Amino acid sequence: MKKIRNFCIIAHIDHGKSTLADRLLELTHTITDREYQDQVLDDMDLERERGITIKSHAIQMDYSQDGEDYVLNLIDTPGHVDFSYEVSRAIAACEGALLVIDATQGIQAQTISNLYLAIEHNLTIIPVLNKIDMDNAMVEEVKEQIVDLLGCDPDEIIAASAKMGIGIEEILQAIVNRIPPPKGDPDAPLQALIFDSVFNSFRGIVAYFRIFNGTIHKGDHVKFVHGGADYNAEEIGILRLKPQPREELSAGNVGYIISGIKTSREVQVGDTITHYDQPCETAIEGFKTVKPMVFAGIYPIDADDYEELRDSLEKLKLNDASLTFEPESSAALGFGFRCGFLGLLHMEIIQERLDREFDMEVITTVPNVSYKVYTTKGEMLEVHNPSGLPEITTIDHIEEPYINADIITRAEYVGGIMKLCIDKRGTLKNQVYLTTDRMELNVELPLGEIVFDFYDKLKSISKGYASFDYFISGHRQADLVKLDILLNGDSVDALSTLLHRDNAYDFGRKFCLKLKEYIPRQQFDVAIQAAIGAKIIARETVKAVRKDVTAKCYGGDITRKRKLLEKQKKGKKRMRQIGNVEVPQKAFLAVLKLD
């Protein structure tokens, strides 16, 4: 155990975590030249295309120093705020963390938030200043920021460039010398924490764990404490680039277990594995259950695929424990699921993964947040969906969730960002100069306002230099109304939204205009209306495709033309009564792109 080091890499998005992980794997000869590719741990196509890490990945390396052989277990983590749950799980399985900071950008909001997570778990922090080879690197300036933040000695900061391979040897030495070996008793009853799992269509569910106490052997009879089910450990092993089976693993190690589990409900991330005959007295404290921030309905395009969609979501939940879903039905779209996500990027990624990994074509409804509705009888209802809102006469008041946001940006962009926050009903709580040209703004905002396009606008105002991190601060009473969208007088429940009364008129008008672009023309006029209760606040009309039935009449009596036009009129009237309007998927996504 003294030769084991468990550590993770934490940083803001795009500060070079994956490149640093590549260099560490190269230097320890964990991967051969033939296996090497950029972002070697990012094994999803999506991660490579977007250049972001979505999943945390575990891998084991061997490293020799002063004639001693060490085993290093690395868990690479994502940097985007939407995947912070992945980071918290990685941190729970480690004793130390590399805090990577970009020398060209300095300390960003997500860096600070991940750092506090690591400090809460008493992890040893090794600060790494990355990208020192860049022309616009501010080495001394950023070093001062790190010293202010961590209170560490300037000599403790390792200057490195993951791209050029500078400072990688020093980082490995620091991991061995500074990070403490794991504590634990190999002879105590088995206690192993599940920090991730993945579905394999041939072997069933593969669970990744970190052993805190005890030893596990191949073929042992084990049970999951919270799940309550028991299994035989058919195969256990360590995580290299490909899993490598082992006969036994003891305290301090990170590994995987395959026990032929077929149903995904039986494996929960944060559960404890122990022996069936000699169980441990207490389960390991798992992770806090994560609260979804954004809710949206996901419906199969073909109603027959409902069960298949359920299976796909269950398999995805194994790999991404922050996804939550429950069945719901909609008058417009049939049966589907109400899903909870950590943010808009998370929602986009899940939709993309459903399409790529499970070949599921789905329609996603307008995203919204959850509200607390207080009725006149004094009851409190939690509403995730505007169609679940009780009758307007029975509502006393509605409370919406508020967030505390930390925005770190350059001083020149502060004016534009403040205006954006005020437009989104935000209040500025505090502003601090971190350095002469960098500021931290602390803003209180309604969560419903940042769901749509806040992050995109923030990035464009600050030319990509603002970083954003937030946490829920509570609920407050607000003047909210339900905006319904009607097509030919019929309400489309999948397009209805809950929003502030001041924004309703503007939003309704823009929404109708946007829908007019996307709804194809029919043989009859299609009326698109936005309504609050019985009051119509905006209307657009998609004009009918009109066939010229009088084209064949030339000359002759007017009554011949009139007869043909009357016949056409009757047909159109009948068609309007029985015709229904198909709403394309683009129309549901159009709401996100409203400017």
Side-chain angles (χ1 to χ4, degrees):
M1 267 178 72
K2 285 178 183 165
K3 301 287 166 60
I4 297 175
R5 300 288 183 274
N6 297 321
F7 70 100
C8 59
I9 304 179
I10 56 177
H12 189 79
I13 188 167
D14 209 20
H15 278 203
K17 292 177 302 302
S18 300
T19 316
L20 178 60
D22 290 351
R23 292 295 93 79
L24 293 173
L25 296 176
E26 272 183 350
L27 200 67
T28 55
H29 308 294
T30 307
I31 50 171
T32 59
D33 290 344
R34 208 177 83 189
E35 290 169 322
Y36 176 73
Q37 53 178 337
D38 280 345
Q39 292 172 261
V40 71
L41 290 181
D42 295 348
D43 49 13
M44 261 187 256
D45 293 343
L46 257 178
E47 292 179 310
R48 295 181 173 285
E49 282 166 26
R50 291 174 178 245
I52 57 174
T53 306
I54 293 166
K55 284 289 305 159
S56 59
H57 297 271
I59 193 162
Q60 193 178 91
M61 305 178 276
D62 295 324
Y63 176 64
S64 297
Q65 185 181 317
D66 306 330
E68 299 274 357
D69 291 336
Y70 293 92
V71 172
L72 311 179
N73 287 312
L74 155 70
I75 302 177
D76 181 27
T77 63
H80 196 283
V81 62
D82 279 15
F83 306 110
S84 51
Y85 188 55
E86 292 286 332
V87 182
S88 70
R89 286 156 39 183
I91 284 173
C94 297
E95 277 83 34
L98 295 180
L99 180 73
V100 180
I101 292 156
D102 186 335
T104 63
Q105 292 189 11
I107 289 166
Q108 304 277 322
Q110 194 60 32
T111 316
I112 296 172
S113 119
N114 287 342
L115 173 69
Y116 288 156
L117 258 179
I119 291 171
E120 268 174 41
H121 282 80
N122 297 324
L123 263 62
T124 302
I125 310 290
I126 299 175
V128 176
L129 186 61
N130 195 18
K131 304 191 188 180
I132 56 161
D133 60 311
M134 302 280 277
D135 295 339
N136 58 341
M138 309 173 288
V139 179
E140 292 310 314
E141 219 174 291
V142 179
K143 268 191 179 176
E144 281 174 27
Q145 290 177 22
I146 298 171
V147 171
D148 285 350
L149 180 69
L150 286 174
C152 64
D153 204 289
D155 303 338
E156 287 177 31
I157 302 166
I158 301 170
S161 166
K163 194 176 178 184
M164 307 304 291
I166 303 165
I168 307 301
E169 189 69 53
E170 287 92 326
I171 292 172
L172 284 165
Q173 287 169 6
I175 290 166
V176 170
N177 298 335
R178 296 194 211 168
I179 294 175
K183 299 183 178 80
D185 180 0
D187 303 320
L190 177 68
Q191 257 187 332
L193 174 76
I194 299 177
F195 65 86
D196 204 356
S197 55
V198 59
F199 185 80
N200 181 316
S201 44
F202 302 106
R203 309 290 306 267
I205 289 161
V206 183
Y208 299 154
F209 59 79
R210 151 79 202 270
I211 305 176
F212 283 90
N213 284 306
T215 306
I216 185 170
H217 298 82
K218 185 182 172 179
D220 278 1
H221 192 185
V222 294
K223 75 167 182 177
F224 293 3
V225 177
H226 294 298
D230 59 295
Y231 304 96
N232 285 326
E234 290 171 14
E235 186 183 306
I236 58 167
I238 57 166
L239 298 153
R240 289 291 171 109
L241 202 53
K242 293 189 168 60
Q244 290 185 3
R246 292 283 186 269
E247 287 302 310
E248 70 164 24
L249 289 172
S250 61
N253 259 306
V254 174
Y256 70 91
I257 177 169
I258 299 176
S259 42
I261 308 165
K262 291 288 184 282
T263 49
S264 47
R265 287 187 205 90
E266 290 175 19
V267 179
Q268 294 168 0
V269 166
D271 203 347
T272 305
I273 305 175
T274 185
H275 279 124
Y276 188 74
D277 309 325
Q278 274 185 304
C280 55
E281 288 175 20
T282 54
I284 301 165
E285 214 176 289
F287 317 104
K288 291 176 186 153
T289 49
V290 61
K291 280 211 170 90
M293 302 282 183
V294 176
F295 294 87
I298 288 187
Y299 294 85
I301 284 180
D302 184 354
D304 297 343
D305 294 340
Y306 176 71
E307 283 303 324
E308 212 174 307
L309 179 61
R310 183 197 293 273
D311 287 349
S312 306
L313 283 169
E314 278 182 357
K315 286 171 188 170
L316 256 186
K317 188 172 166 59
L318 263 182
N319 200 232
D320 183 352
S322 52
L323 170 70
T324 60
F325 62 92
E326 55 186 44
E328 74 161 2
S329 64
S330 145
L333 299 170
F335 288 102
F337 295 93
R338 189 94 200 140
C339 301
F341 310 96
L342 297 185
L344 274 187
L345 177 70
H346 188 211
M347 176 178 128
E348 213 177 297
I349 295 292
I350 292 288
Q351 204 177 331
E352 192 80 14
R353 285 183 71 183
L354 279 171
D355 181 30
R356 292 189 186 201
E357 295 173 29
F358 303 99
D359 215 15
M360 290 296 314
E361 285 195 31
V362 294
I363 286 180
T364 312
T365 65
V366 180
N368 61 292
V369 298
S370 68
Y371 297 93
K372 288 183 175 175
V373 178
Y374 290 86
T375 64
T376 46
K377 292 179 182 173
E379 296 168 341
M380 194 277 283
L381 308 169
E382 231 180 62
V383 175
H384 301 315
N385 188 348
S387 57
L389 208 65
E391 281 296 314
I392 198 91
T393 51
T394 63
I395 298 174
D396 181 49
H397 66 273
I398 304 175
E399 288 185 357
E400 64 175 339
Y402 265 71
I403 59 161
N404 247 333
D406 287 316
I407 300 169
I408 294 180
T409 183
R410 290 192 174 176
E412 65 213 69
Y413 306 123
V414 167
I417 290 173
M418 277 187 185
K419 184 181 181 308
L420 172 69
C421 293
I422 290 162
D423 288 348
K424 297 283 184 188
R425 297 192 286 130
T427 44
L428 186 69
K429 287 282 174 197
N430 194 8
Q431 60 186 64
V432 184
Y433 271 94
L434 298 173
T435 61
T436 48
D437 66 336
R438 286 169 52 104
M439 282 187 78
E440 181 177 6
L441 303 177
N442 184 260
V443 191
E444 220 169 22
L445 286 154
L447 180 61
E449 292 286 345
I450 68 157
V451 162
F452 291 129
D453 54 359
F454 181 81
Y455 200 62
D456 296 343
K457 283 186 174 169
L458 180 70
K459 285 289 177 203
S460 57
I461 288 170
S462 65
K463 299 189 171 57
Y465 277 106
S467 60
F468 176 69
D469 188 46
Y470 63 89
F471 59 89
I472 292 278
S473 62
H475 284 70
R476 292 203 198 152
Q477 192 171 330
D479 184 11
L480 299 171
V481 289
K482 182 185 171 192
L483 182 75
D484 287 313
I485 299 293
L486 313 174
L487 290 181
N488 274 351
D490 295 331
S491 172
V492 183
D493 59 349
L495 290 174
S496 56
T497 49
L498 260 179
L499 73 174
H500 199 268
R501 192 182 292 277
D502 295 350
N503 301 344
Y505 290 88
D506 197 32
F507 186 83
R509 200 183 75 253
K510 285 180 182 170
F511 202 173
C512 288
L513 275 168
K514 204 76 174 170
L515 281 178
K516 187 181 176 181
E517 287 174 33
Y518 288 113
I519 287 177
R521 290 173 73 183
Q522 313 285 335
Q523 295 279 353
F524 51 90
D525 282 3
V526 178
I528 305 167
Q529 295 167 308
I532 298 173
K535 186 181 180 185
I536 305 292
I537 59 167
R539 172 186 169 128
E540 292 293 330
T541 308
V542 179
K543 283 294 181 193
V545 180
R546 186 168 166 269
K547 184 181 173 189
D548 190 356
V549 287
T550 60
K552 61 185 179 186
C553 299
Y554 49 93
D557 190 12
I558 185 69
T559 52
R560 288 179 62 205
K561 284 187 179 178
R562 200 162 281 152
K563 185 177 146 193
L564 288 169
L565 289 167
E566 286 298 323
K567 190 177 171 189
Q568 184 188 33
K569 201 171 169 185
K570 276 183 190 165
K572 294 234 181 233
K573 190 177 175 187
R574 191 166 66 249
M575 195 183 284
R576 192 180 293 116
Q577 285 168 350
I578 59 168
N580 57 2
V581 184
E582 286 275 313
V583 183
Q585 165 73 0
K586 279 182 189 165
F588 291 102
L589 295 175
V591 194
L592 302 179
K593 305 283 183 281
L594 281 184
D595 197 22

